[in-house]
Amino acid sequence: MSTVEESIDVDVPVRVVYDQWATFEDFPQFMEGVEEVRQLDDRHAHWRTKIAGLSREFDTEIVERVPEERVAWRTTGESVKHTGTVDFEPLGAARTRVRMTMAFQPTGLAEKAADKLGMLDRQVRGDLRRFKRFIEDRGTGSGPRPASGGG
């Protein structure tokens, strides 16, 4: 299993950053290769991706949700294996550090080669940069504030 950890500081309050991140349907607007995320219920989402020409569909389950602090997930099923966390750290009233950690099990020759070339690292770093531009340009989250408590 390969692991990548990246972080970025955004000039937006933690509440707004968390609320935006918890709006999974907006991910295609800043995550390269994510074509669609459909929220199925409070804990489950269905993803459609196309990365390096490889199309995938898979489901995820939110395994931990701490408002304004953390979102953690894992894939369900057999087709794609990954887990991840996003931690939100306030750096003052209007600044937040976003730290993403993902563990991914590459399958097949193409994914294993991409992993060895560091493509996941670059993908996560790029997605965080695009998220920073997205949230700073917008200034406010687009979705409703999720209910507090675990996922």
Side-chain angles (χ1 to χ4, degrees):
M1 189 146 305
S2 296
T3 302
V4 61
E5 183 175 319
E6 294 287 341
S7 65
I8 197 161
D9 296 347
V10 297
D11 294 324
V12 179
V14 69
R15 177 192 56 78
V16 174
V17 174
Y18 173 84
D19 286 353
Q20 181 61 63
W21 195 274
T23 308
F24 306 120
E25 291 88 352
D26 285 347
F27 282 10
Q29 296 182 58
F30 57 84
M31 285 190 170
E32 190 174 273
V34 175
E35 294 182 332
E36 178 187 28
V37 181
R38 191 173 65 249
Q39 188 80 36
L40 303 174
D41 59 35
D42 285 348
R43 294 183 53 205
H44 300 91
H46 181 77
W47 293 64
R48 242 181 353 102
T49 63
K50 187 171 187 178
I51 299 172
L54 184 61
S55 295
R56 298 270 192 184
E57 289 198 38
F58 56 92
D59 293 323
T60 56
E61 175 184 25
I62 302 297
V63 295
E64 182 179 12
R65 185 185 313 230
V66 181
E68 299 179 21
E69 290 181 28
R70 171 178 273 210
V71 175
W73 70 91
R74 68 176 180 89
T75 55
T76 60
E78 297 298 318
S79 65
V80 175
K81 294 282 189 195
H82 79 260
T83 61
T85 59
V86 179
D87 292 298
F88 307 93
E89 177 186 351
L91 301 174
R95 191 166 171 82
T96 304
R97 177 161 296 140
V98 179
R99 183 174 12 318
M100 179 187 285
T101 305
M102 284 184 59
F104 177 79
Q105 181 64 53
T107 58
L109 192 57
E111 284 184 8
K112 289 177 182 177
D115 181 47
K116 288 194 183 302
L117 294 171
M119 290 182 75
L120 179 61
D121 296 58
R122 286 192 298 280
Q123 180 83 37
V124 170
R125 196 168 28 254
D127 288 346
L128 286 177
R129 281 193 308 265
R130 284 184 291 280
F131 177 73
K132 175 182 174 66
R133 283 192 304 272
F134 179 80
I135 192 73
E136 288 178 353
D137 288 349
R138 181 171 253 173
T140 61
S142 66
R145 190 174 173 101
S148 62

